Amino acid sequence: MRLRSGIGALLALAAAMNSHAEPTTTVITHGLSLGSKGAWVQNMAEAVVANGPSGGSVYRYDGATGAWRYLPALSDGSTETIALIFNWVDESDGVSTGPNWGYAQAASDALVAALRDARYLDGTGPGDLASGRTLHLIGHSRGAVVMSEASMRLVAGGITVDHLTTLDPHPVNGINAGCLGVAGDDWDDADPQRWSRGDGCAEVTFLDNYYRFDGNGCDPNGQPVDGAFNVSLRDVLGDTAIFDNDLFGSCPLEHTKVHAFYHGTVDLGAANDGDGCDIDNGWYTTTGEPGCSSRACQGFFYSALGDGLSMRPAMGAGVEPDPFAVLCNGGFDIGSYAGWSYHGGGGSGAINGGGFLRLSSAGSSRTHNRFYLPAGAVSLDLSHRVGVASPDDELVVTVTALGTGMTTELDRFALGAVEGAFTPRSTPLPMNLGAGSYTLTVAIDGGVSGIEAQVDVDDLMIITPSIGCEECPTDLNGDGVTDTADLGLLLAAFGSMGAQADINGDGIVDTADLGILLGAFGDLCG
């Protein structure tokens, strides 16, 4: 392909591209779902893309592969505005094995992997759906927990989440009870938070929360979120609910109507959310937002695709995220299979109620669900206890890269002596283990006579260094700004392989890298 000659033409293109905000990624997910996530998620995704400056694309997550499936009927192929539908229906309402504990956190692990190292079943898209894009995560009910936990992992990894929206958040943690089979239960759902790193590196910039709490246990209650812009859809009206329970109508639960309320601010002309919930314009006259009595100045108005970006209310104090954790539930807490089932996880190895993984001839391997491994990972740590020894058997730990299918052995050791207690072990990771989406498998490799050993594994983790701020890959000369000097370096490397100017990491410096640089032209780094 011949490039248009002249720096002036390229700079004109840069100015045109930079007249819009950076590209956006909006992720939407459901809560506890009995067999189906509901049509409202897809309808909201379609409405989000319609707000883009020049169209956009919708993708749906495929849990079996961890890839995104392109939805051509809702898309035009462009990627400036992307809406993603994250589906975790299978484990959202209950699990088949072990206690229902920690599955919202495990789902967020898989989501972060699918964002940072994106793969596609149909069509194509950006290789990284988080870095260099304005992120908006939207979650309803238990889905608010998934999105909050995903935000924590992103922020801990140096990625700023511009906007987190929680819709009637309902973490199942033994406090906020209901009557749909979860009353008083504790599924280890963490309360949503506005995450902010103390070093100023990354944060959830804006968190808005729309909720109602009416004391009706059969209509799951939402809750406020500390530090967020909280909009109560009931309390502002005193004793009168903003939504009336319609037990025999098409949308009987107020809990459900909260996402219909938000949908009405995404699509200002929508009469319903496409999933049985009608949208009442009267809702928006009584929410109590200052100076606003219509759907046009509420909800999605505050997003990067809305008109109210500069009018966002002030945030309260943020919460320091936990250090970036590569593996979810490496301690096998209370015997839960969270992190080791669904989203690419599974196997025959049994997780014991005492909080460890047991491998033997009865169940010789277990695979962790997909996770994102950052660059520079240092070591694999674990503890092991051999209950039945065999001189021919070995414990083997491997990782498999989602993109290439390549399996790398991280550790291997003999199971030749019985151990009365857990023994810690730390093994340096290979230097060539690059950043990306992986699964991890722990297995017994039996000798010529088959598997005879029994071993318990606990405290499994991958140690990573402290992760700094998101870098500026378009600042090729490192002077703190993307400008003509960087453009010159890219043009000089055009067509070469393995060069620094390969911004998107696809192996060659080409027009895709040029487009990324021009889109960031004039941006400051640091």
Side-chain angles (χ1 to χ4, degrees):
M1 175 180 179
R2 174 177 288 182
L3 292 174
R4 292 179 58 190
S5 62
I7 295 294
L10 290 171
L11 291 180
L13 178 58
M17 295 181 72
N18 209 37
S19 64
H20 301 298
E22 67 182 358
T24 62
T25 298
T26 302
V27 192
I28 308 167
T29 197
H30 55 86
L32 187 152
S33 300
L34 302 175
S36 171
K37 67 182 182 337
W40 73 267
V41 183
Q42 180 168 309
N43 292 332
M44 186 179 289
E46 183 178 11
V48 166
V49 165
N51 281 274
S54 57
S57 295
V58 178
Y59 300 84
R60 181 187 294 117
Y61 174 78
D62 179 72
T65 63
W68 298 102
R69 186 179 298 280
Y70 180 65
L71 303 182
L74 310 180
S75 312
D76 65 9
S78 64
T79 58
E80 181 175 359
T81 304
I82 286 178
L84 305 173
I85 300 165
F86 182 67
N87 183 349
W88 65 298
V89 167
D90 289 345
E91 71 270 36
S92 71
D93 67 332
V95 295
S96 58
T97 305
N100 194 344
W101 177 272
Y103 282 90
Q105 289 88 329
S108 74
D109 241 16
L111 172 57
V112 170
L115 290 174
R116 297 304 316 276
D117 185 16
R119 307 288 165 176
Y120 299 90
L121 290 177
D122 304 298
T124 59
D128 190 329
L129 289 160
S131 179
R133 301 181 68 89
T134 298
L135 277 173
H136 185 186
L137 308 185
I138 303 172
H140 175 250
S141 190
R142 290 192 74 208
V145 178
V146 175
M147 291 309 189
S148 174
E149 290 293 301
S151 296
M152 183 186 74
R153 287 157 172 75
L154 290 165
V155 169
I159 302 291
T160 283
V161 175
D162 176 67
H163 193 175
L164 171 61
T165 296
T166 52
L167 304 175
D168 225 25
H170 186 79
V172 181
N173 52 23
I175 299 173
N176 197 353
C179 73
L180 300 178
V182 298
D185 283 356
D186 186 353
W187 293 354
D188 194 38
D189 285 357
D191 290 333
Q193 304 283 353
R194 190 182 79 82
W195 306 104
S196 179
R197 284 177 48 159
D199 61 4
C201 176
E203 66 174 354
V204 174
T205 305
F206 182 69
L207 195 165
D208 52 349
N209 176 50
Y210 304 86
Y211 74 103
R212 22 66 59 208
F213 192 104
D214 60 10
N216 181 353
C218 289
D219 191 348
N221 287 311
Q223 64 186 45
V225 176
D226 290 343
F229 173 53
N230 287 291
V231 179
S232 170
L233 300 181
R234 176 184 174 90
D235 294 346
V236 296
L237 304 179
D239 294 329
T240 304
I242 192 168
F243 306 126
D244 293 325
N245 272 315
D246 179 14
L247 295 177
F248 302 102
S250 58
C251 190
L253 299 181
E254 294 178 12
H255 185 57
T256 302
K257 290 181 179 177
V258 174
H259 65 66
F261 171 91
Y262 195 77
H263 185 103
T265 70
V266 182
D267 181 352
L268 301 181
N272 61 75
D273 68 352
D275 206 19
C277 283
D278 291 335
I279 297 170
D280 184 349
N281 282 326
W283 293 344
Y284 306 95
T285 65
T286 50
T287 59
E289 292 199 45
C292 177
S293 59
S294 77
R295 62 168 88 178
C297 51
Q298 301 181 50
F300 195 72
F301 172 72
Y302 296 116
S303 77
L305 296 174
D307 296 324
L309 191 62
S310 63
M311 300 171 65
R312 287 175 170 176
M315 292 286 95
V319 176
E320 182 77 27
D322 295 335
F324 188 88
V326 173
L327 301 176
C328 178
N329 193 26
F332 308 101
D333 293 343
I334 72 167
S336 171
Y337 284 76
W340 300 89
S341 56
Y342 307 103
H343 307 287
S348 57
I351 297 178
N352 188 278
F356 56 83
L357 170 66
R358 173 160 290 177
L359 302 177
S360 66
S361 59
S364 60
S365 70
R366 197 83 207 174
T367 296
H368 192 281
N369 63 214
R370 290 176 291 272
F371 59 89
Y372 181 73
L373 180 69
V378 177
S379 66
L380 170 74
D381 289 9
L382 58 83
S383 296
H384 56 87
R385 179 180 62 189
V386 179
V388 178
S390 172
D392 296 330
D393 291 356
E394 295 177 310
L395 186 73
V396 183
V397 183
T398 59
V399 290
T400 300
L402 179 63
T404 64
M406 181 180 297
T407 296
T408 302
E409 187 173 294
L410 303 184
D411 197 8
R412 175 186 288 267
F413 57 91
L415 304 176
V418 172
E419 299 166 326
F422 278 97
T423 301
R425 180 181 180 88
S426 183
T427 306
L429 294 182
M431 295 294 292
N432 63 347
L433 198 62
S437 180
Y438 292 83
T439 58
L440 178 144
T441 299
V442 187
I444 295 179
D445 184 359
V448 293
S449 58
I451 295 173
E452 297 176 332
Q454 174 189 293
V455 60
D456 299 333
V457 179
D458 200 0
D459 302 323
L460 188 65
M461 63 185 74
I462 293 178
I463 305 300
T464 63
S466 177
I467 301 175
C469 293
E470 181 180 6
E471 298 178 354
C472 295
T474 56
D475 179 21
L476 300 179
N477 65 357
D479 65 356
V481 64
T482 301
D483 57 13
T484 53
D486 305 300
L487 180 59
L489 291 172
L490 186 145
L491 294 177
F494 201 86
S496 62
M497 303 179 68
Q500 179 191 5
D502 178 20
I503 298 170
N504 66 357
D506 66 355
I508 187 170
V509 181
D510 56 12
T511 53
D513 304 298
L514 177 62
I516 295 172
L517 188 145
L518 294 178
F521 202 86
D523 287 355
L524 299 176
C525 301

